[in-house]
Amino acid sequence: MSRVINFYLLSYSIGSLKREKYKNIFLFVVISLLVALLASTFFLSNAMKSEYNTLIDTYPDIVLQNQKAGVAATIESSIADKLLLLDGVKNSEARVYGSYYFNHADSELTIIGVNMFTPSCSSFINDLMQKHSLHRGEILVSSNVKNLFNNYYYKEYFNFIKSDGSLKKMQIDEVFKNSKNFFNKNTLVMLKSDARDIFDYKEYEARDIAIDVANRDEVVSIALKIKRLYPHMNVITKEDLQVEYENLYNFKSGFFLTIFIISFFTFFIIIYDKLSGLNGEKRREIGILKAIGWRVGDVLNAKLYEGAILSLSGYLTGIILAFVYVYLLNAPLLKNIFLYSNNLLKDYTIHLSVEYETLALLFFLSVPIYIVATIIPSWKIATLDADEVMR
Amino acid sequence: MIELKNVSKEYEGGVKALNRVSLKFTEGEVVVLKGMSGSGKSSILSLIAGLCKPTEGEVVVDGKHISKLADHFATSFRRENIGMIFQKYNLIVDLSVQENILLPLVPLNLKNDELEKRLNRELERSNLVSKKDIQVKKLSGGEQQRCAIARANSNNPKIILADEPTANLDEKLSLEFIASLCEMKRENRTIIIATHDPLFFDLDFVDRIVEVGYGKIV
Amino acid sequence: MIISPEVLTIYIIDAIFILFASVAFVISVRIVKNYDVNATTALQYELEKKSYLVATIIRCLFYIKVPFFLFFIFILNNISFVLPGAMCGAGVVNSSSAAVPLLFLKLLNSYLFAYWILLDKDDMSIESQPYIKQKFFLYLLFYLLLITEIYLEFSMFLNIDITSVVDCCGVIFSHTDGSYMAQFFGLPASFYITLFYGNFALLLLSYLVKSRYIFALLNLIFVIVALLSLIAFFGIYIYELPTHHCPFCLLQSEYNYVGYVLYSLLFLGTFNGVVIGLHLFSVDVQKEKMRYSLIFLMLYVSTISYYFLGYYLKNSVWL
Ligand SMILES: Nc1ncnc2c1ncn2[C@@H]1O[C@H](COP(=O)(O)OP(=O)(O)OP(=O)(O)O)[C@@H](O)[C@H]1O
Ligand SMILES: [Mg+2]
């Protein structure tokens, strides 16, 4: 059996690419840039997805939310105690938390309310409360928030603005280390009673109820049970959230993909044009090759090799460029599209998370498509009449 | 060996290049096709090489009905049996001498040592050993023609077809070319030369001179 | 419905397949109708040129289709992370009625396209081109299958409901379920061992006898026997769990993607074996194909045996 790849033909193809340097460099640059652009968005959205996943891991198994007129509303804290009586429920907590808009710095802060002596459904808070203690009027802030406050000269205390416009002065008590997860970076922790004051909740109100179950397999059946008890409320499981985020980011990258496809097809019209337009010299070369014994298939193979070399090298270069841009340069500009333009997140570094399917997907969108797009121009070249060389 | 039976060739646009031509060439023969420009000499060579198809009649080469073969098979036949030498050398000028010489062998995917053997043989015979890595466009006319001959020989063809081989050469180089033809004749190849160069008309190793005029044999 | 970049990619590639396959289809129709090896007309000359285009398109489609098939399976496994309840591709396949026929059709088309390429190669090596009409006629049929495949693929992704809970492979391939699958799992180990190794032994025998029809037929049977015994019996040794029957989890990283190796070997082996029954090759080519078939299948059988016997050697018990 003859060797599968004809290396002489391959080196002819490489030589042929070199001889049309400028055209091919142009094609190569366009392919690598398109691949790099798309690869960067995928790398970034994958990084975001995995951040969310680690975040969601710290979430409670089930969350119960009250609704008024279809909009999330506060819930009675006492429901937490009732749910604790259900079989299979390990822990339940009426949570008081929310985001607070810090006007001067144009930043969102996340306030988390805690009880000193009852365990929370969040492992993050439980860990934190083992190390620190809190009293009324005191806040615990992450180092990120601490820096932010320092910038605005809130060294000892911070003034929250309540809903009636009055100020609530809180003592900055201790600083905890930033969590690795960037979604937790702008957190500050205080007692639930203080948090209620800031968010203007009544004494018996909470934002929602968090429930942990003993056996993960029972999540769905317990969620159904809760739904039956409180049919007008919203029951959200951890898995629901995971799927939701997954879809959100798929959607975002799908949007980019669409742009990419449009540019790619425009690009193919260009190459089609470039490859079909043959100058006299090129026609002559094909004529010579056929006269000295190259079959249509040989010329076609040479052309397909050219396409394969060009697109494969463009693909690899594009991937490498994207790596450098996202993981070494930390994706300037593009990051802003994926993250809210939040000052606290400015120094967020992207963790390496590459998914094979992303690389495979980009491969399929570049290499085979390019090769297929060159079939017809190559075939036209390969079937040129050879007797032209006799003239 | 080669036979044209009642062959006509009409090009698009109604130009009748050949009109019911019948011709025979035997093995080892050297034949000169002479005739005015436009008389149809090149068309005869194209038909023998299977580069184009007759509109009428049949071309048989070495027992093969080459005019009835699909392009794919006609080309296969050509690469095994026919070496072509053209008026304008028809080398790929951006490639080196050795790349040009090996060009007909590229699709065969031969073993490396076989290629080396053939390359060295042709380089020596055409006296181009020292130039093998030089781009063809940097060669002189005579060297280019020698390179073209070397390429035509690289696949060991039984038949050599030459179309106006000396049109771009001065007399000294033309004689050099004729000498190399003589050598090929000694290797018992069938050689057909289409030309109107009078140098060819009284050579002792030429077996026959056929005159073509207005698509007919005169 | 699922909109993920991966699924969008599948749609795009499919759209390109349809476009090019249709070009090839139109040309093929003309070739089947008008091709005449002896004619010297302009039409014949044009068709001859176009036949290269068709062959190139089909070849390219095939060489893209094969890795694309693997990508497809990979994506099914991935989607399973989005589908509530599914643990691997099996859950996804089970969630849509189009999926099972789609998988079979994909497999069938891989064999058919590979067969077409061989037929073309053989045809292009004989000057009279004896199979020219046959191969383009066959392509007309294959085209219909390809279009059906793509249609099923579209409808599968459009119909997957990401909000409803689906079964995981543990349920689909369970022992206790009353389904026809469960009946296969109930059969004794000796049954599968005899069937699998027996079939392979017969293959070896027929290789020695050199009967091409018997060899091809045994290969065809081996496709079914190998897949069935893999799901019902040998798979549990790869998973090292007596209740885990699933043809998809094999493809996940936990099992070193061994599924891709196994399925590729099985395809290469059986394809080379089956094709010699479909087409009369020259003696040398036929011998070569038989040899390739045997080599790949031998690798397949050794890999399976490695897991199967390896488990026993490690744990000194059978599952
Ligand atoms: N591809 C073509 N299309 C149309 N007409 C052609 C083509 N090739 C050749 N001809 C015509 O056919 C006739 C014979 O051409 P051919 O090239 O065989 O002549 P020739 O004897 O080789 O002439 P020369 O000595 O000038 O090379 C000429 O009138 C030419 O114009
Ligand atoms: Mg001429």
Side-chain angles (χ1 to χ4, degrees), chain A residues 390, chain B residues 41-42 87 163-164:
Chain A
M390 301 296 279
Chain B
K41 303 181 298 288
S42 300
Q87 170 181 358
D163 190 20
E164 320 260 7

Side-chain angles (χ1 to χ4, degrees), chain A residues 35-273:
Chain A
V35 171
L37 177 70
L38 194 62
S40 313
T41 60
F42 278 129
F43 289 166
L44 201 55
S45 79
N46 287 345
M48 293 288 97
K49 263 194 252 178
S50 67
E51 289 285 345
Y52 263 121
N53 279 334
T54 43
L55 176 70
I56 288 171
D57 276 343
T58 66
Y59 277 16
D61 294 328
I62 302 172
V63 169
L64 181 63
Q65 240 175 21
N66 194 9
Q67 287 188 320
K68 272 186 191 145
V71 179
T74 53
I75 193 166
E76 271 180 52
S77 311
S78 57
I79 293 179
D81 303 327
K82 288 180 199 147
L83 290 177
L84 209 47
L85 302 176
L86 280 180
D87 280 343
V89 171
K90 195 171 76 184
N91 189 9
S92 75
E93 180 197 0
R95 297 194 297 180
V96 181
Y97 67 100
S99 53
Y100 178 88
Y101 182 62
F102 178 23
N103 224 329
H104 297 304
D106 184 25
S107 296
E108 297 263 334
L109 308 175
T110 302
I111 295 177
I112 297 178
V114 295
N115 277 346
M116 253 338 268
F117 301 109
T118 48
S120 157
C121 284
S122 153
S123 54
F124 171 69
I125 294 299
N126 286 338
D127 290 347
L128 199 66
M129 295 326 289
Q130 298 219 309
K131 287 185 227 136
H132 306 270
S133 66
L134 262 180
H135 301 97
R136 259 199 99 96
E138 285 177 356
I139 49 177
L140 263 172
V141 299
S142 72
S143 47
N144 231 340
V145 176
K146 175 75 183 166
N147 287 340
L148 185 79
F149 284 174
N150 274 347
N151 289 344
Y152 293 87
Y153 304 104
Y154 290 110
K155 304 246 172 195
E156 302 282 309
Y157 60 89
F158 183 75
N159 282 330
F160 289 94
I161 304 170
K162 298 204 290 191
S163 63
D164 58 6
S166 62
L167 295 181
K168 182 177 173 70
K169 190 167 161 185
M170 300 278 282
Q171 198 73 28
I172 300 174
D173 181 39
E174 272 178 278
V175 179
F176 57 88
K177 258 187 38 206
N178 267 334
S179 125
K180 266 205 211 93
N181 194 294
F182 92 97
F183 294 103
N184 274 341
K185 279 198 172 147
N186 52 352
T187 337
L188 48 90
V189 178
M190 60 182 70
L191 288 182
K192 275 182 185 166
S193 49
D194 286 328
R196 282 197 176 97
D197 207 14
I198 290 170
F199 292 127
D200 196 20
Y201 287 0
K202 308 226 163 50
E203 199 51 44
Y204 55 87
E205 279 180 338
R207 167 113 178 227
D208 56 25
I209 311 262
I211 299 122
D212 272 343
V213 300
N215 180 355
R216 267 189 55 76
D217 293 340
E218 288 176 9
V219 170
V220 176
S221 68
I222 292 177
L224 281 174
K225 237 187 267 175
I226 297 174
K227 182 79 189 166
R228 245 176 270 132
L229 284 175
Y230 304 99
H232 57 287
M233 293 193 193
N234 209 0
V235 184
I236 305 156
T237 64
K238 201 182 204 169
E239 200 164 336
D240 289 338
L241 286 176
Q242 250 152 4
V243 171
E244 197 173 298
Y245 281 127
E246 181 88 11
N247 285 328
L248 176 73
Y249 275 100
N250 277 345
F251 181 77
K252 274 200 178 179
S253 32
F255 174 72
F256 271 92
L257 192 64
T258 318
I259 297 177
F260 175 80
I261 290 154
I262 294 167
S263 38
F264 226 61
F265 278 98
T266 332
F267 172 61
F268 285 130
I269 294 167
I270 301 170
I271 35 172
Y272 189 86
D273 203 49

Side-chain angles (χ1 to χ4, degrees), chain A residues 6 284 290 294-295 391, chain B residues 76 78 88 90 103 106:
Chain A
N6 182 341
R284 190 160 195 87
K290 294 180 78 179
W294 286 41
R295 299 163 175 166
R391 267 173 272 148
Chain B
S76 301
R78 179 163 66 246
K88 296 169 189 153
N90 275 342
L103 215 45
V106 164

Side-chain angles (χ1 to χ4, degrees), chain C residues 57-87:
Chain C
I57 288 177
I58 295 175
R59 213 170 299 136
C60 280
L61 290 192
F62 174 75
Y63 288 123
I64 299 171
K65 252 173 93 48
V66 170
F68 199 56
F69 189 12
L70 302 181
F71 181 68
F72 171 81
I73 306 262
F74 196 76
I75 295 312
L76 283 190
N77 271 326
N78 270 340
I79 290 176
S80 64
F81 301 126
V82 187
L83 278 192
M87 310 291 276

Side-chain angles (χ1 to χ4, degrees), chain A residues 3 5-6 8-9 12 19 284-285 288-296 298 386-387 389-391, chain B residues 42 45-46 51 71-72 75-76 78-79 86 88 90 92 94 103-104 106-107 109-110 112 115 151 163:
Chain A
R3 279 168 292 174
I5 294 175
N6 182 341
Y8 304 107
L9 200 59
Y12 168 81
R19 275 181 283 138
R284 190 160 195 87
E285 177 171 334
I288 295 169
L289 292 177
K290 294 180 78 179
I292 62 177
W294 286 41
R295 299 163 175 166
V296 177
D298 300 320
D387 64 337
V389 286
M390 301 296 279
R391 267 173 272 148
Chain B
S42 300
L45 295 189
S46 296
L51 287 173
D71 188 40
H72 180 82
T75 311
S76 301
R78 179 163 66 246
R79 80 166 162 217
F86 310 90
K88 296 169 189 153
N90 275 342
I92 297 178
D94 292 318
L103 215 45
V106 164
N109 207 4
L110 297 172
N112 232 337
L115 278 186
R151 184 182 66 187
D163 190 20

Side-chain angles (χ1 to χ4, degrees), chain B residues 6-190:
Chain B
N6 272 324
V7 171
S8 298
K9 174 73 191 174
E10 197 177 318
Y11 286 103
E12 283 152 47
V15 186
K16 200 140 193 181
L18 294 175
N19 194 359
R20 296 186 164 274
V21 171
S22 292
L23 260 178
K24 252 189 185 172
F25 306 89
T26 51
E27 192 167 346
E29 206 178 15
V30 177
V31 180
V32 170
L33 295 177
K34 75 171 191 181
M36 298 194 318
S37 182
S39 54
K41 303 181 298 288
S42 300
S43 302
I44 293 177
L45 295 189
S46 296
L47 287 168
I48 295 172
L51 287 173
C52 63
K53 301 248 145 67
T55 21
E56 210 184 330
E58 218 182 306
V59 184
V60 184
V61 182
D62 205 11
K64 253 223 166 106
H65 293 251
I66 192 159
S67 55
K68 286 199 171 157
L69 291 181
D71 188 40
H72 180 82
F73 301 102
T75 311
S76 301
F77 183 78
R78 179 163 66 246
R79 80 166 162 217
E80 276 153 35
N81 300 292
I82 298 175
M84 312 256 317
I85 301 167
F86 310 90
Q87 170 181 358
K88 296 169 189 153
Y89 318 127
N90 275 342
L91 297 165
I92 297 178
V93 291
D94 292 318
L95 295 182
S96 70
V97 169
Q98 63 166 339
E99 284 168 327
N100 266 288
I101 294 177
L102 292 178
L103 215 45
L105 307 177
V106 164
L108 301 178
N109 207 4
L110 297 172
K111 290 245 162 57
N112 232 337
D113 41 351
E114 172 70 18
L115 278 186
E116 284 286 315
K117 211 176 79 194
R118 294 209 198 175
L119 176 67
N120 290 330
R121 188 189 67 198
E122 295 309 324
L123 281 173
E124 268 160 40
R125 194 151 44 167
S126 57
N127 202 8
L128 285 169
V129 179
S130 58
K131 305 258 152 94
K132 71 173 187 173
D133 291 315
I134 294 180
Q135 274 190 332
V136 164
K137 65 178 166 210
K138 294 176 185 152
L139 296 182
S140 72
E143 284 165 336
Q144 292 200 16
Q145 185 64 305
R146 293 210 301 270
C147 182
I149 298 168
R151 184 182 66 187
N153 274 320
S154 64
N155 57 342
N156 299 329
K158 283 188 244 162
I159 301 165
I160 299 278
L161 304 177
D163 190 20
E164 320 260 7
T166 56
N168 287 341
L169 301 178
D170 60 23
E171 186 167 327
K172 180 174 155 273
L173 291 175
S174 300
L175 289 174
E176 206 177 89
F177 173 75
I178 288 167
S180 61
L181 276 186
C182 191
E183 195 182 321
M184 287 189 231
K185 155 99 177 169
R186 248 178 277 131
E187 289 161 0
N188 200 31
R189 299 175 200 243
T190 311

